[in-house]
Coordinates of all heavy atoms in Angstrom, one line a residue:
M1 N -50.3 8.8 17.2 CA -50.4 8.8 18.7 C -50.0 10.2 19.2 O -48.9 10.7 19.0 CB -49.4 7.8 19.2 CG -49.4 7.7 20.7 SD -48.6 6.3 21.3 CE -47.0 7.0 21.7
A2 N -50.9 10.8 19.9 CA -50.7 12.2 20.4 C -50.0 12.1 21.7 O -50.5 11.5 22.7 CB -52.0 12.9 20.5
I3 N -48.8 12.7 21.8 CA -48.1 12.8 23.0 C -48.3 14.1 23.7 O -48.4 14.3 24.9 CB -46.6 12.5 22.8 CG1 -46.4 11.1 22.2 CG2 -45.7 12.7 24.0 CD1 -45.0 10.8 21.7
C4 N -48.3 15.2 22.9 CA -48.5 16.5 23.3 C -49.9 17.0 22.9 O -50.4 16.6 21.9 CB -47.4 17.5 22.7 SG -45.7 17.0 23.0
G5 N -50.4 18.0 23.7 CA -51.6 18.6 23.3 C -51.5 19.6 22.2 O -50.4 19.9 21.8
P6 N -52.6 20.2 21.8 CA -52.5 21.1 20.7 C -51.8 22.4 21.0 O -51.1 23.0 20.2 CB -54.0 21.4 20.3 CG -54.8 21.0 21.5 CD -54.0 19.9 22.2
K7 N -52.0 22.9 22.2 CA -51.3 24.1 22.6 C -49.8 24.0 22.8 O -49.0 24.8 22.4 CB -51.9 24.7 23.9 CG -53.3 25.2 23.8 CD -53.9 25.6 25.1 CE -55.3 26.0 25.0 NZ -55.9 26.3 26.3
L8 N -49.4 22.8 23.4 CA -48.0 22.5 23.6 C -47.3 22.3 22.2 O -46.2 22.8 22.0 CB -47.8 21.3 24.5 CG -46.3 21.0 24.8 CD1 -45.6 22.1 25.4 CD2 -46.2 19.7 25.6
S9 N -48.0 21.6 21.3 CA -47.4 21.4 20.0 C -47.2 22.7 19.2 O -46.2 22.9 18.5 CB -48.1 20.3 19.2 OG -49.5 20.7 19.0
L10 N -48.2 23.6 19.3 CA -48.1 24.9 18.7 C -47.0 25.7 19.3 O -46.2 26.4 18.5 CB -49.4 25.6 18.8 CG -49.5 27.0 18.1 CD1 -49.3 26.9 16.6 CD2 -50.8 27.7 18.4
C11 N -46.8 25.7 20.6 CA -45.7 26.4 21.2 C -44.4 25.8 20.8 O -43.5 26.6 20.5 CB -45.9 26.3 22.8 SG -44.6 27.1 23.7
G12 N -44.3 24.5 20.7 CA -43.1 23.9 20.2 C -42.8 24.3 18.7 O -41.6 24.5 18.4
L13 N -43.8 24.4 17.9 CA -43.6 24.9 16.5 C -43.0 26.3 16.5 O -42.0 26.6 15.8 CB -44.9 24.9 15.8 CG -45.4 23.5 15.2 CD1 -46.8 23.7 14.7 CD2 -44.5 23.1 14.1
I14 N -43.6 27.2 17.3 CA -43.2 28.6 17.3 C -41.8 28.7 17.8 O -40.9 29.4 17.2 CB -44.2 29.5 18.1 CG1 -45.5 29.5 17.4 CG2 -43.6 30.9 18.3 CD1 -46.6 30.1 18.2
L15 N -41.5 28.0 19.0 CA -40.1 28.1 19.5 C -39.1 27.5 18.6 O -38.0 28.0 18.5 CB -40.1 27.5 20.9 CG -40.8 28.2 22.0 CD1 -40.8 27.4 23.3 CD2 -40.2 29.5 22.3
S16 N -39.5 26.4 17.9 CA -38.5 25.8 17.0 C -38.2 26.7 15.8 O -37.0 26.8 15.5 CB -39.1 24.5 16.5 OG -39.3 23.6 17.5
V17 N -39.2 27.3 15.3 CA -38.9 28.3 14.2 C -38.0 29.4 14.6 O -37.0 29.8 13.9 CB -40.2 28.8 13.6 CG1 -40.0 29.9 12.6 CG2 -41.0 27.6 12.9
W18 N -38.3 30.0 15.8 CA -37.5 31.1 16.3 C -36.1 30.6 16.6 O -35.1 31.3 16.2 CB -38.1 31.6 17.6 CG -37.2 32.7 18.2 CD1 -36.5 32.6 19.3 CD2 -36.9 34.0 17.6 NE1 -35.8 33.7 19.5 CE2 -36.0 34.6 18.5 CE3 -37.3 34.6 16.5 CZ2 -35.5 35.9 18.3 CZ3 -36.8 35.9 16.2 CH2 -36.0 36.5 17.1
G19 N -35.9 29.4 17.2 CA -34.6 28.9 17.5 C -33.8 28.6 16.2 O -32.6 28.9 16.2
I20 N -34.4 28.1 15.2 CA -33.7 27.9 13.9 C -33.2 29.2 13.3 O -32.1 29.3 12.9 CB -34.7 27.1 12.9 CG1 -34.9 25.7 13.4 CG2 -34.1 27.1 11.5 CD1 -36.0 25.0 12.7
I21 N -34.1 30.2 13.3 CA -33.7 31.5 12.7 C -32.6 32.1 13.5 O -31.6 32.5 12.9 CB -34.9 32.4 12.6 CG1 -35.9 31.9 11.6 CG2 -34.5 33.8 12.3 CD1 -37.3 32.6 11.7
Q22 N -32.7 32.1 14.8 CA -31.7 32.8 15.6 C -30.4 32.1 15.6 O -29.3 32.7 15.4 CB -32.2 32.9 17.1 CG -31.2 33.6 18.0 CD -31.7 33.6 19.4 OE1 -32.7 33.1 19.8 NE2 -30.8 34.1 20.3
L23 N -30.4 30.8 15.7 CA -29.1 30.1 15.8 C -28.4 30.0 14.4 O -27.2 30.0 14.3 CB -29.3 28.7 16.4 CG -29.6 28.7 17.9 CD1 -30.1 27.3 18.3 CD2 -28.4 29.1 18.6
S24 N -29.2 30.0 13.4 CA -28.6 30.0 12.0 C -27.9 31.4 11.8 O -26.8 31.4 11.3 CB -29.7 29.8 11.0 OG -30.3 28.5 11.1
L25 N -28.6 32.4 12.2 CA -28.0 33.8 12.0 C -26.8 33.9 12.9 O -25.7 34.5 12.4 CB -29.0 34.9 12.3 CG -30.1 35.1 11.2 CD1 -31.1 36.1 11.7 CD2 -29.5 35.5 9.9
M26 N -26.8 33.4 14.1 CA -25.7 33.5 15.0 C -24.5 32.7 14.4 O -23.4 33.1 14.5 CB -26.0 33.1 16.4 CG -26.8 34.1 17.2 SD -27.2 33.5 18.9 CE -25.5 33.4 19.5
G27 N -24.8 31.5 13.9 CA -23.8 30.7 13.2 C -23.1 31.5 12.1 O -21.9 31.4 11.9
V28 N -23.9 32.1 11.3 CA -23.3 32.9 10.2 C -22.5 34.0 10.7 O -21.3 34.3 10.2 CB -24.5 33.5 9.3 CG1 -23.9 34.5 8.3 CG2 -25.2 32.4 8.5
F29 N -22.9 34.8 11.7 CA -22.2 35.9 12.3 C -20.9 35.4 13.0 O -19.8 36.1 12.9 CB -23.0 36.7 13.2 CG -24.1 37.4 12.5 CD1 -25.4 37.5 13.1 CD2 -23.9 38.1 11.3 CE1 -26.4 38.2 12.5 CE2 -24.9 38.7 10.7 CZ -26.1 38.8 11.3
Y30 N -20.9 34.2 13.6 CA -19.7 33.7 14.2 C -18.7 33.3 13.0 O -17.5 33.5 13.1 CB -20.0 32.5 15.0 CG -20.3 32.8 16.5 CD1 -21.5 32.4 17.1 CD2 -19.3 33.4 17.3 CE1 -21.7 32.7 18.4 CE2 -19.6 33.7 18.6 CZ -20.8 33.3 19.1 OH -21.0 33.6 20.5
Y31 N -19.3 32.7 12.0 CA -18.4 32.2 10.9 C -17.7 33.4 10.2 O -16.6 33.2 9.8 CB -19.3 31.4 9.9 CG -18.4 30.6 9.0 CD1 -17.8 29.4 9.4 CD2 -18.3 30.9 7.7 CE1 -17.0 28.6 8.6 CE2 -17.5 30.2 6.8 CZ -16.9 29.0 7.3 OH -16.1 28.2 6.4
I32 N -18.4 34.5 10.1 CA -17.7 35.6 9.4 C -16.9 36.5 10.4 O -16.2 37.4 10.0 CB -18.7 36.6 8.7 CG1 -19.7 37.2 9.7 CG2 -19.4 35.8 7.6 CD1 -20.6 38.3 9.0
G33 N -16.9 36.1 11.7 CA -16.0 36.7 12.7 C -16.5 38.1 13.2 O -15.8 39.0 13.2
S34 N -17.8 38.1 13.5 CA -18.4 39.4 14.0 C -17.7 39.8 15.3 O -17.6 39.0 16.3 CB -19.9 39.2 14.3 OG -20.4 40.3 14.8
V35 N -17.3 41.0 15.4 CA -16.6 41.6 16.5 C -17.6 41.7 17.7 O -17.1 41.5 18.9 CB -16.0 43.0 16.2 CG1 -15.3 43.6 17.4 CG2 -15.0 42.9 15.0
A36 N -18.8 41.8 17.5 CA -19.8 42.0 18.6 C -19.9 40.7 19.4 O -20.3 40.7 20.6 CB -21.2 42.3 18.0
L37 N -19.5 39.5 18.8 CA -19.6 38.3 19.5 C -18.2 37.8 20.1 O -18.1 36.7 20.5 CB -20.1 37.2 18.6 CG -21.5 37.4 18.0 CD1 -21.8 36.4 16.9 CD2 -22.5 37.4 19.1
F38 N -17.3 38.7 20.1 CA -15.9 38.3 20.5 C -15.9 37.9 22.0 O -15.1 37.0 22.3 CB -15.0 39.5 20.3 CG -13.6 39.2 20.7 CD1 -12.8 38.5 19.9 CD2 -13.0 39.7 21.8 CE1 -11.5 38.2 20.2 CE2 -11.7 39.4 22.2 CZ -10.9 38.7 21.4
E39 N -16.7 38.4 22.8 CA -16.6 38.1 24.3 C -17.1 36.7 24.5 O -16.8 36.1 25.6 CB -17.5 39.0 25.1 CG -17.0 40.4 25.1 CD -17.9 41.4 25.9 OE1 -19.0 40.9 26.4 OE2 -17.5 42.5 26.1
D40 N -17.7 36.0 23.6 CA -18.2 34.7 23.8 C -17.3 33.6 23.2 O -17.7 32.4 23.1 CB -19.6 34.5 23.1 CG -20.6 35.4 23.8 OD1 -20.5 35.6 25.1 OD2 -21.5 35.9 23.1
I41 N -16.1 34.0 22.7 CA -15.2 33.1 22.1 C -14.5 32.3 23.3 O -13.9 32.9 24.1 CB -14.1 33.8 21.2 CG1 -14.8 34.5 20.1 CG2 -13.1 32.8 20.7 CD1 -15.7 33.7 19.2
P42 N -14.5 31.0 23.2 CA -13.8 30.2 24.3 C -12.3 30.2 24.2 O -11.8 30.3 23.1 CB -14.4 28.8 24.2 CG -14.7 28.7 22.7 CD -15.2 30.1 22.3
G43 N -11.6 30.2 25.3 CA -10.2 30.0 25.3 C -9.4 31.3 25.3 O -8.2 31.3 25.5
L44 N -10.0 32.4 25.1 CA -9.3 33.7 25.1 C -9.3 34.4 26.4 O -8.5 35.3 26.6 CB -9.8 34.6 24.0 CG -9.7 34.1 22.6 CD1 -10.3 35.1 21.6 CD2 -8.3 33.8 22.2
E45 N -10.2 34.0 27.3 CA -10.3 34.7 28.6 C -9.5 34.2 29.7 O -9.4 34.8 30.8 CB -11.8 34.8 29.0 CG -12.3 33.4 29.5 CD -12.8 32.5 28.3 OE1 -12.8 32.9 27.2 OE2 -13.0 31.3 28.6
T46 N -8.8 33.0 29.5 CA -8.1 32.4 30.6 C -6.7 33.1 30.7 O -6.1 33.5 29.7 CB -7.9 30.9 30.3 OG1 -7.2 30.8 29.1 CG2 -9.2 30.2 30.3
E47 N -6.3 33.3 31.9 CA -5.0 33.9 32.2 C -3.9 32.9 32.3 O -2.7 33.2 32.1 CB -5.1 34.6 33.6 CG -5.9 35.9 33.5 CD -5.3 37.0 32.6 OE1 -4.0 37.1 32.5 OE2 -6.0 37.6 31.9
E48 N -4.2 31.6 32.6 CA -3.1 30.6 32.7 C -2.5 30.2 31.4 O -1.4 29.8 31.3 CB -3.6 29.4 33.5 CG -4.7 28.7 32.9 CD -6.1 29.1 33.4 OE1 -6.1 30.0 34.3 OE2 -7.1 28.7 32.9
E49 N -3.2 30.4 30.3 CA -2.7 30.1 29.0 C -2.4 31.4 28.3 O -3.2 32.0 27.7 CB -3.7 29.3 28.2 CG -3.2 28.9 26.9 CD -4.3 28.1 26.1 OE1 -5.0 27.3 26.7 OE2 -4.4 28.3 24.9
K50 N -1.2 31.8 28.4 CA -0.7 33.1 27.8 C -0.5 32.9 26.3 O 0.2 31.9 25.9 CB 0.5 33.6 28.5 CG 0.3 34.0 29.9 CD -0.5 35.2 30.1 CE -0.5 35.6 31.5 NZ -1.4 36.7 31.8
L51 N -1.0 33.8 25.5 CA -0.7 33.7 24.1 C 0.6 34.6 23.8 O 0.6 35.7 24.2 CB -1.9 34.3 23.3 CG -3.2 33.5 23.5 CD1 -4.3 34.2 22.8 CD2 -3.0 32.1 23.1
H52 N 1.6 34.0 23.2 CA 2.9 34.6 23.1 C 3.1 35.5 21.9 O 4.0 36.3 21.9 CB 4.0 33.5 23.1 CG 4.0 32.7 24.3 ND1 4.3 33.2 25.6 CD2 3.6 31.4 24.6 CE1 4.2 32.3 26.5 NE2 3.8 31.2 25.9
S53 N 2.2 35.4 20.9 CA 2.3 36.2 19.7 C 1.0 36.6 19.2 O -0.1 36.0 19.5 CB 3.1 35.5 18.6 OG 2.4 34.5 18.1
L54 N 1.0 37.6 18.4 CA -0.3 38.1 17.8 C -0.9 37.1 16.8 O -2.1 36.9 16.8 CB 0.0 39.4 17.1 CG -1.3 40.2 16.7 CD1 -2.1 40.5 17.9 CD2 -0.9 41.5 16.0
D55 N 0.0 36.4 16.1 CA -0.5 35.4 15.2 C -1.1 34.2 15.9 O -2.2 33.7 15.5 CB 0.7 34.8 14.3 CG 1.2 35.8 13.3 OD1 0.4 36.7 12.9 OD2 2.4 35.8 13.0
E56 N -0.6 33.9 17.1 CA -1.2 32.8 17.9 C -2.5 33.2 18.4 O -3.5 32.4 18.4 CB -0.2 32.5 19.1 CG -0.6 31.3 19.9 CD 0.4 31.0 21.0 OE1 1.5 31.5 20.9 OE2 0.0 30.4 22.0
F57 N -2.7 34.5 18.8 CA -3.9 35.0 19.3 C -5.0 35.0 18.1 O -6.1 34.6 18.4 CB -3.8 36.5 19.8 CG -5.1 37.1 20.1 CD1 -5.7 36.8 21.3 CD2 -5.6 38.1 19.2 CE1 -6.9 37.5 21.6 CE2 -6.8 38.7 19.5 CZ -7.4 38.4 20.7
Y58 N -4.6 35.4 16.9 CA -5.5 35.4 15.8 C -6.0 34.0 15.4 O -7.1 33.7 15.1 CB -4.9 36.1 14.6 CG -4.9 37.6 14.7 CD1 -3.8 38.3 14.3 CD2 -6.0 38.3 15.1 CE1 -3.8 39.7 14.3 CE2 -6.1 39.7 15.2 CZ -4.9 40.4 14.8 OH -4.9 41.7 14.9
K59 N -5.0 33.1 15.5 CA -5.3 31.7 15.2 C -6.3 31.1 16.2 O -7.3 30.4 15.9 CB -4.0 30.8 15.2 CG -4.2 29.4 14.8 CD -2.9 28.7 14.7 CE -3.1 27.2 14.3 NZ -3.2 26.4 15.5
K60 N -6.1 31.4 17.5 CA -7.0 30.9 18.6 C -8.3 31.5 18.4 O -9.4 30.9 18.6 CB -6.3 31.2 19.9 CG -7.0 30.6 21.1 CD -6.5 29.2 21.3 CE -6.9 28.8 22.7 NZ -6.7 27.4 22.9
A61 N -8.4 32.8 18.1 CA -9.7 33.5 17.9 C -10.5 32.9 16.8 O -11.7 32.7 16.8 CB -9.5 35.0 17.8
E62 N -9.8 32.7 15.6 CA -10.4 32.1 14.5 C -11.0 30.7 14.8 O -12.1 30.4 14.3 CB -9.4 32.1 13.3 CG -10.0 31.6 12.0 CD -11.1 32.5 11.5 OE1 -11.1 33.7 11.7 OE2 -12.0 31.9 10.8
E63 N -10.2 29.9 15.5 CA -10.7 28.6 15.8 C -11.9 28.7 16.7 O -12.9 27.9 16.6 CB -9.6 27.8 16.6 CG -8.4 27.4 15.7 CD -7.3 26.8 16.5 OE1 -7.4 26.7 17.8 OE2 -6.3 26.4 15.9
G64 N -11.9 29.6 17.7 CA -13.1 29.8 18.5 C -14.3 30.2 17.8 O -15.4 29.8 18.0
Y65 N -14.1 31.2 16.8 CA -15.3 31.6 16.0 C -15.9 30.5 15.2 O -17.1 30.3 15.2 CB -14.8 32.7 15.1 CG -14.9 34.1 15.6 CD1 -13.8 34.9 15.7 CD2 -16.1 34.7 16.0 CE1 -13.9 36.2 16.2 CE2 -16.2 36.0 16.5 CZ -15.1 36.7 16.6 OH -15.1 38.0 17.1
V66 N -15.0 29.7 14.6 CA -15.5 28.6 13.8 C -16.2 27.5 14.6 O -17.2 27.0 14.3 CB -14.4 28.0 12.9 CG1 -14.8 26.7 12.3 CG2 -13.9 29.0 11.9
Q67 N -15.6 27.2 15.8 CA -16.2 26.2 16.7 C -17.6 26.7 17.2 O -18.5 25.9 17.2 CB -15.3 25.9 17.9 CG -15.8 24.9 18.8 CD -16.0 23.5 18.1 OE1 -15.1 23.1 17.4 NE2 -17.1 22.9 18.3
N68 N -17.7 28.0 17.5 CA -19.0 28.5 18.0 C -20.0 28.5 16.8 O -21.2 28.2 17.0 CB -18.9 29.9 18.5 CG -18.4 29.9 20.0 OD1 -18.2 28.8 20.6 ND2 -18.3 31.0 20.6
A69 N -19.6 28.7 15.6 CA -20.5 28.7 14.5 C -21.0 27.3 14.3 O -22.2 27.1 14.1 CB -19.7 29.2 13.2
Y70 N -20.1 26.3 14.3 CA -20.5 24.9 14.2 C -21.5 24.5 15.3 O -22.5 23.8 15.1 CB -19.3 23.9 14.2 CG -18.5 24.0 12.9 CD1 -17.2 23.6 12.9 CD2 -19.1 24.5 11.7 CE1 -16.4 23.7 11.8 CE2 -18.3 24.6 10.6 CZ -17.0 24.2 10.6 OH -16.2 24.2 9.5
N71 N -21.2 25.0 16.5 CA -22.1 24.7 17.7 C -23.5 25.3 17.4 O -24.5 24.6 17.7 CB -21.5 25.2 19.0 CG -20.3 24.4 19.4 OD1 -20.1 23.3 19.0 ND2 -19.6 25.0 20.4
C72 N -23.6 26.5 16.9 CA -24.9 27.1 16.6 C -25.6 26.3 15.5 O -26.8 26.1 15.6 CB -24.7 28.6 16.2 SG -24.3 29.7 17.6
W73 N -24.9 25.9 14.5 CA -25.6 25.2 13.4 C -26.0 23.8 13.9 O -27.1 23.3 13.4 CB -24.6 25.1 12.2 CG -24.5 26.4 11.5 CD1 -25.4 27.4 11.5 CD2 -23.3 26.9 10.9 NE1 -24.8 28.5 10.8 CE2 -23.6 28.2 10.4 CE3 -22.1 26.3 10.6 CZ2 -22.7 28.9 9.7 CZ3 -21.2 27.1 9.9 CH2 -21.5 28.3 9.4
I74 N -25.3 23.1 14.8 CA -25.7 21.9 15.3 C -27.0 22.1 16.1 O -27.9 21.3 16.0 CB -24.6 21.2 16.1 CG1 -23.5 20.7 15.2 CG2 -25.1 20.1 17.0 CD1 -22.2 20.3 15.9
A75 N -27.0 23.1 16.9 CA -28.2 23.4 17.8 C -29.4 23.7 16.9 O -30.5 23.3 17.2 CB -27.9 24.5 18.7
A76 N -29.2 24.4 15.7 CA -30.3 24.7 14.8 C -30.8 23.4 14.2 O -32.0 23.3 14.0 CB -29.8 25.7 13.7
C77 N -29.9 22.5 13.9 CA -30.4 21.2 13.4 C -31.2 20.4 14.4 O -32.2 19.8 14.1 CB -29.2 20.3 13.0 SG -28.4 20.9 11.5
L78 N -30.8 20.5 15.7 CA -31.6 19.9 16.7 C -33.0 20.6 16.8 O -34.0 19.9 17.1 CB -30.9 20.0 18.1 CG -29.7 19.1 18.2 CD1 -29.0 19.4 19.5 CD2 -30.0 17.7 18.0
Y79 N -33.1 21.9 16.6 CA -34.4 22.6 16.6 C -35.2 22.1 15.4 O -36.4 22.1 15.4 CB -34.2 24.1 16.5 CG -34.2 24.7 17.9 CD1 -33.1 25.3 18.4 CD2 -35.3 24.7 18.7 CE1 -33.0 25.9 19.7 CE2 -35.3 25.3 20.0 CZ -34.2 25.9 20.4 OH -34.2 26.4 21.7
I80 N -34.6 21.7 14.3 CA -35.3 21.2 13.1 C -36.0 19.9 13.5 O -37.1 19.6 13.1 CB -34.3 21.0 11.9 CG1 -33.9 22.4 11.4 CG2 -35.0 20.2 10.8 CD1 -32.9 22.3 10.3
I81 N -35.3 19.1 14.3 CA -35.9 17.8 14.8 C -37.1 18.1 15.7 O -38.1 17.5 15.6 CB -34.8 17.0 15.5 CG1 -33.8 16.5 14.5 CG2 -35.5 15.8 16.2 CD1 -32.6 15.9 15.2
T82 N -36.9 19.1 16.5 CA -38.0 19.5 17.4 C -39.2 20.1 16.6 O -40.4 19.8 16.9 CB -37.5 20.6 18.4 OG1 -36.4 20.1 19.1 CG2 -38.6 21.0 19.4
L83 N -38.9 20.8 15.5 CA -39.9 21.4 14.7 C -40.7 20.2 14.0 O -41.9 20.3 13.9 CB -39.3 22.3 13.6 CG -40.2 22.8 12.6 CD1 -41.1 23.9 13.2 CD2 -39.5 23.4 11.4
A84 N -40.0 19.2 13.5 CA -40.7 18.1 12.9 C -41.6 17.3 13.9 O -42.7 17.0 13.6 CB -39.6 17.1 12.3
F85 N -41.1 17.1 15.1 CA -41.9 16.4 16.1 C -43.1 17.3 16.5 O -44.2 16.8 16.6 CB -41.0 16.2 17.4 CG -41.8 15.6 18.5 CD1 -42.2 14.2 18.4 CD2 -42.1 16.3 19.6 CE1 -42.9 13.7 19.5 CE2 -42.9 15.8 20.6 CZ -43.3 14.4 20.6
S86 N -42.9 18.6 16.7 CA -44.0 19.4 17.1 C -45.0 19.5 15.9 O -46.2 19.6 16.2 CB -43.5 20.8 17.5 OG -42.7 20.8 18.6
G87 N -44.5 19.6 14.7 CA -45.4 19.6 13.6 C -46.2 18.4 13.4 O -47.4 18.4 13.1
H88 N -45.6 17.2 13.7 CA -46.3 16.0 13.7 C -47.4 15.9 14.7 O -48.5 15.5 14.5 CB -45.4 14.8 13.8 CG -46.0 13.5 13.9 ND1 -46.3 12.9 15.1 CD2 -46.5 12.7 12.9 CE1 -47.0 11.7 14.8 NE2 -47.0 11.6 13.5
Q89 N -47.0 16.4 15.9 CA -48.0 16.4 17.0 C -49.2 17.4 16.7 O -50.3 17.1 17.1 CB -47.3 16.7 18.3 CG -46.4 15.7 18.9 CD -47.1 14.4 19.1 OE1 -48.1 14.4 19.9 NE2 -46.7 13.3 18.5
F90 N -48.9 18.5 16.1 CA -49.9 19.4 15.8 C -50.8 18.8 14.8 O -52.1 19.0 14.8 CB -49.3 20.7 15.3 CG -50.3 21.8 15.1 CD1 -50.8 22.5 16.2 CD2 -50.7 22.2 13.8 CE1 -51.7 23.6 16.0 CE2 -51.6 23.2 13.6 CZ -52.1 23.9 14.7
W91 N -50.3 18.1 13.8 CA -51.1 17.5 12.8 C -51.9 16.4 13.4 O -53.1 16.2 13.0 CB -50.1 16.9 11.7 CG -50.8 16.2 10.6 CD1 -51.6 16.7 9.6 CD2 -50.8 14.8 10.4 NE1 -52.1 15.7 8.8 CE2 -51.6 14.5 9.2 CE3 -50.2 13.7 11.0 CZ2 -51.8 13.2 8.8 CZ3 -50.4 12.4 10.5 CH2 -51.2 12.2 9.4
V92 N -51.4 15.6 14.3 CA -52.1 14.5 14.9 C -53.3 15.1 15.7 O -54.4 14.6 15.7 CB -51.2 13.6 15.8 CG1 -52.0 12.7 16.7 CG2 -50.3 12.8 14.9
N93 N -53.0 16.1 16.4 CA -54.1 16.8 17.2 C -55.2 17.4 16.4 O -56.3 17.4 16.7 CB -53.5 17.8 18.2 CG -52.8 17.2 19.4 OD1 -53.3 16.2 20.0 ND2 -51.6 17.7 19.7
S94 N -54.8 18.0 15.3 CA -55.8 18.6 14.4 C -56.6 17.5 13.7 O -57.8 17.7 13.5 CB -55.1 19.5 13.4 OG -54.4 18.8 12.5
R95 N -56.1 16.4 13.4 CA -56.8 15.3 12.8 C -57.8 14.7 13.8 O -58.9 14.3 13.4 CB -55.9 14.2 12.3 CG -55.2 14.6 11.0 CD -54.5 13.4 10.3 NE -55.5 12.4 10.0 CZ -55.2 11.2 9.7 NH1 -54.0 10.8 9.7 NH2 -56.2 10.3 9.4
S96 N -57.3 14.5 15.0 CA -58.2 13.9 16.0 C -59.4 14.9 16.4 O -60.4 14.4 16.7 CB -57.4 13.6 17.3 OG -56.9 14.7 17.9
S97 N -59.2 16.2 16.3 CA -60.2 17.1 16.6 C -61.3 17.1 15.4 O -62.4 17.5 15.7 CB -59.7 18.5 16.9 OG -59.1 19.0 15.7
L98 N -60.9 16.8 14.2 CA -61.8 16.8 13.1 C -62.7 15.5 13.2 O -63.8 15.5 12.7 CB -61.0 16.8 11.8 CG -60.3 18.1 11.4 CD1 -59.5 17.9 10.1 CD2 -61.3 19.2 11.3
R99 N -62.2 14.4 13.7 CA -63.0 13.2 13.8 C -64.0 13.3 14.9 O -65.1 12.6 14.8 CB -62.0 12.0 14.2 CG -61.1 11.6 13.1 CD -60.4 10.4 13.5 NE -59.3 10.2 12.5 CZ -58.3 9.3 12.7 NH1 -58.3 8.6 13.8 NH2 -57.4 9.1 11.8
V100 N -63.8 14.0 15.9 CA -64.8 14.1 17.0 C -65.9 14.9 16.7 O -66.2 15.7 16.0 CB -64.1 14.6 18.3 CG1 -65.1 14.7 19.4 CG2 -63.0 13.6 18.7

């Protein structure tokens, strides 16, 4: 059963592949603690929660890096589901065009 047309399913395939690559790499870079991604770590920018020691700051930063890495990998898995759906739709559309 075709839900999407051939152009939309091809667009979904391309975007899914790109999303999987980008989010997987970002997850790896967050996991290794890339300094370039430091501004996106949650919990370090708030002023009301003062960090009292350097060890506490490092612990909070490490937790933020790992959480962001897991979030990126979860989003990449969701893109895998989108890739499977788009691939199925592309296959269904290509089969129906061969019959006609």
Side-chain angles (χ1 to χ4, degrees):
M1 180 169 97
I3 298 172
C4 303
K7 292 178 185 175
L8 181 60
S9 59
L10 181 62
C11 180
L13 281 170
I14 293 169
L15 288 176
S16 296
V17 169
W18 175 251
I20 292 167
I21 293 169
Q22 180 182 359
L23 288 169
S24 297
L25 287 174
M26 283 182 65
V28 168
F29 292 139
Y30 272 121
Y31 196 74
I32 63 173
S34 177
V35 178
L37 299 172
F38 182 74
E39 292 179 356
D40 297 325
I41 302 300
L44 298 179
E45 70 277 351
T46 59
E47 288 295 323
E48 59 268 355
E49 183 181 319
K50 297 287 185 185
L51 300 174
H52 299 291
S53 69
L54 194 56
D55 291 331
E56 187 178 340
F57 173 76
Y58 284 137
K59 183 176 181 269
K60 189 85 165 171
E62 183 65 28
E63 288 173 0
Y65 272 118
V66 171
Q67 183 61 48
N68 277 1
Y70 289 156
N71 289 345
C72 286
W73 290 330
I74 290 169
C77 289
L78 293 174
Y79 269 114
I80 290 172
I81 294 170
T82 306
L83 176 72
F85 176 74
S86 297
H88 177 264
Q89 290 298 303
F90 188 76
W91 178 71
V92 166
N93 285 316
S94 66
R95 283 193 62 194
S96 66
S97 67
L98 291 176
R99 288 185 193 168
V100 175

